[in-house]
């Protein structure tokens, strides 16, 4: 795929450059709680602006249902982008309508505009090729060149990700080039030992990547809500913990295959439990207790790895040469259940391994818990995209950037 450096070498002064970014930031009302994804695309936007391009930035945010919804407006993201660029950024209140056309027409060389949430238009996410294509045609009228830099969306066959690049000269931005380069280090000529840490709520979300990594990883560490399905598959009671009963046969098969292939599967040996899920707004004390993972009492919910598990996982990561981590170890948003996630992050900081934090909640946790992002090899902006890449799937947004 052609890169933004090739585009810059060709010259962009005066050209309208459509940048498909990922500004899907978490919001508390209109307040951005983590601007990591905006900062991640900043080098691409800034470089284009410096070279005299008229930059049209587009993104989705959340899951609106194909119609305008103020709760999912990109206005806060546009304002934050302007602060980070140190320049005024115009904001269009629609995607391809009068406001968008006026905002783009009003750009001078070196200026940027953000158009409203692409998912406010049903054509963005439509499964109908013609409807998606019609929306892509309208977006194409706003630009002369396309730059794909929204890595968090490249696993989606959406109009701005898949269809639009076919209608314009297209290039990969700095973020996508970096993300793909990092993921290749996890799939080609991997330095060993290669350890994978998987957490999060549902084991069903990780089945594909577990299946793929059983052929590649040396050890797989499991935490988060998905750990309780693994513990149940081993015959342990898990109280009122999150459990996907229908996934137990698949988990048992993975455990069998891991043993057969010599892949070390590491599960919690102790867990932190509470009678109920904690209140994440008030952060009220949740009355936690630590119990052995094979002796969870009835009516108690597992919400984090225990201290012995934290020590065990740190030891399993200490000698690794490559680590991929996707998914928190517990309900890290509450102080009573953040230690497991903090322990994994600290183990990666302490390890000489090339460490990749696989986006989503893991990336948010690293920032929320106060870690220096530069202490990790790479923090991905796309949890779902990075997982699908590691599953060996073809990602529509990357395929669209290939010539």
């Amino acid at each position: 795929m052609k890169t933004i450096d090739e585009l810059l070498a060709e010259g962009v002064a005066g050209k309208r450059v459509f940048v498909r970014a990922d500004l899907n930031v978490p919001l508390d009302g209109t307040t951005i709680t983590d601007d990591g994804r905006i900062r991640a695309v900043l080098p691409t936007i800034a470089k284009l602006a410096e070279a005299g391009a008229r930059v049209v930035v587009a993104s989705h945010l959340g899951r609106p249902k194909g119609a305008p919804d103020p709760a999912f407006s990109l206005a806060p993201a546009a304002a934050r982008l302007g602060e980070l660029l140190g320049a005024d950024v115009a904001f269009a209140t629609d995607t391809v309508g009068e406001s968008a056309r006026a905002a783009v027409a009003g750009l001078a060389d070196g200026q940027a505009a953000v158009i409203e949430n692409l998912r406010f238009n049903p054509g963005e996410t439509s499964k109908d090729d013609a409807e998606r294509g019609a929306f892509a045609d309208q977006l194409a009228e706003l630009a002369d060149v396309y730059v794909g830099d929204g890595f968090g969306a490249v696993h989606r066959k959406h109009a701005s990700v898949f269809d639009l690049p076919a209608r314009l000269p297209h290039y990969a931005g700095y973020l996508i080039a970096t993300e793909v380069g990092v993921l290749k280090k996890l799939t080609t000529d991997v330095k060993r030992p290669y350890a994978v840490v998987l957490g999060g709520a549902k084991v069903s979300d990780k089945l594909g990547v577990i299946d793929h990594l059983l052929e590649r990883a040396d050890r797989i560490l499991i935490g988060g809500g998905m750990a309780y399905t693994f513990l149940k598959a081993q015959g342990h009671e898990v109280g009122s913990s999150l459990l996907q009963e229908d996934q137990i046969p698949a988990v048992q098969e993975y455990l069998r295959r891991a043993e057969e292939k010599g892949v070390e599967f590491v599960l919690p040996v102790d867990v932190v439990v509470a009678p109920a899920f904690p209140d994440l707004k008030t952060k009220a004390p949740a009355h936690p207790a630590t119990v052995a993972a094979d002796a969870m009492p009835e009516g108690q919910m597992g919400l984090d790895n225990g201290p012995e598990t934290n020590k065990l996982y740190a030891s399993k990561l200490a000698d690794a040469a490559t680590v991929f981590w996707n998914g928190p170890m517990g309900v890290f948003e509450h102080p009573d259940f953040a230690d497991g996630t903090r322990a994994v992050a600290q183990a990666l900081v302490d390890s000489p391994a090339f460490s990749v934090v696989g986006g989503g909640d893991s990336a948010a946790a690293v920032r929320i818990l106060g870690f220096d992002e530069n202490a990790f090899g790479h923090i991905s902006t796309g949890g779902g995209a990075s997982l699908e890449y590691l599953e060996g799937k073809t990602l529509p947004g990357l395929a669209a950037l290939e010539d």
Side-chain angles (χ1 to χ4, degrees):
M1 65 179 68
K2 290 183 179 179
T3 68
I4 186 176
D5 285 332
E6 293 172 83
L7 171 60
L8 291 166
E10 294 166 9
V12 294
K15 290 183 179 178
R16 300 170 302 163
V17 180
F18 188 103
V19 177
R20 197 343 177 153
D22 179 9
L23 309 181
N24 186 27
V25 292
L27 294 172
D28 182 2
T30 59
T31 301
I32 297 170
T33 57
D34 179 3
D35 68 355
R37 283 177 168 165
I38 302 175
R39 288 185 286 110
V41 76
L42 199 64
T44 290
I45 296 171
K47 196 73 173 180
L48 288 168
E50 286 170 15
R54 303 178 180 193
V55 188
V56 183
V57 183
S59 176
H60 70 286
L61 191 152
R63 296 177 182 270
K65 303 190 183 302
D69 183 338
F72 297 106
S73 175
L74 277 174
R80 180 59 179 150
L81 176 62
E83 291 172 358
L84 292 169
L85 284 173
D88 289 336
V89 171
F91 179 66
T93 56
D94 56 26
T95 57
V96 291
E98 184 178 338
S99 180
R101 291 192 296 270
V104 174
L107 289 175
D109 293 1
Q111 292 184 334
V114 175
I115 62 174
E116 186 56 285
N117 191 337
L118 292 164
R119 291 185 182 176
F120 285 0
N121 190 303
E124 170 68 1
T125 59
S126 176
K127 294 192 180 342
D128 181 83
D129 291 349
E131 185 178 12
R132 260 195 349 269
F135 184 47
D137 288 338
Q138 291 178 292
L139 291 171
E141 293 176 4
L142 300 175
D144 305 304
V145 182
Y146 178 92
V147 172
D149 216 27
F151 181 74
V154 293
H155 58 314
R156 306 295 188 192
K157 192 176 181 181
H158 290 171
S160 65
V161 175
F162 180 75
D163 302 272
L164 184 56
R167 288 157 168 79
L168 294 169
H170 46 269
Y171 303 79
Y174 291 124
L175 176 60
I176 278 186
T178 298
E179 294 273 14
V180 171
V182 165
L183 289 170
K184 283 182 177 177
K185 290 184 180 181
L186 300 178
T187 54
T188 310
D189 298 325
V190 181
K191 292 184 178 179
R192 299 186 179 279
Y194 178 18
V196 176
V197 186
L198 296 176
K202 295 181 178 180
V203 69
S204 56
D205 293 339
K206 304 290 196 300
L207 289 178
V209 75
I210 292 172
D211 184 70
H212 207 63
L213 289 170
L214 278 173
E215 306 294 329
R216 292 161 178 78
D218 296 302
R219 62 184 72 127
I220 300 175
L221 288 61
I222 301 292
M226 62 185 285
Y228 302 102
T229 300
F230 276 87
L231 291 168
K232 184 71 172 179
Q234 289 187 326
H236 305 308
E237 292 304 319
V238 296
S240 58
S241 305
L242 183 64
L243 177 64
Q244 289 186 284
E245 293 263 12
D246 61 323
Q247 301 299 332
I248 287 176
V251 166
Q252 289 172 330
E253 174 62 14
Y254 287 144
L255 291 171
R256 185 197 64 77
R257 281 177 54 197
E259 186 174 4
E260 184 180 87
K261 292 178 176 295
V263 177
E264 187 179 7
F265 242 106
V266 189
L267 298 176
V269 294
D270 63 344
V271 295
V272 180
V273 300
F277 196 84
D279 188 325
L280 300 184
K281 284 192 177 291
T282 66
K283 304 290 196 295
H287 309 292
T290 300
V291 300
D294 60 359
M296 292 182 63
E298 188 175 338
Q300 293 286 314
M301 179 182 294
L303 295 166
D304 196 15
N305 287 346
E308 293 305 313
T309 300
N310 294 340
K311 292 177 189 174
L312 172 64
Y313 284 19
S315 71
K316 296 295 182 181
L317 298 172
D319 68 340
T322 304
V323 180
F324 173 71
W325 172 30
N326 182 282
M329 298 293 98
V331 186
F332 70 91
E333 301 93 336
H334 193 285
D336 289 343
F337 309 106
D339 286 351
T341 302
R342 183 181 290 108
V344 167
Q346 187 63 54
L348 297 191
V349 169
D350 295 340
S351 169
F354 174 68
S355 58
V356 178
V357 181
D361 286 341
S362 312
V366 163
R367 299 184 184 105
I368 289 170
L369 296 177
F371 286 90
D372 180 357
E373 294 180 44
N374 295 321
F376 303 88
H378 179 70
I379 298 179
S380 179
T381 56
S386 60
L387 283 177
E388 290 199 15
Y389 189 100
L390 292 182
E391 287 178 39
K393 291 183 177 180
T394 297
L395 305 188
L398 297 185
L401 293 176
E402 299 286 354
D403 289 316

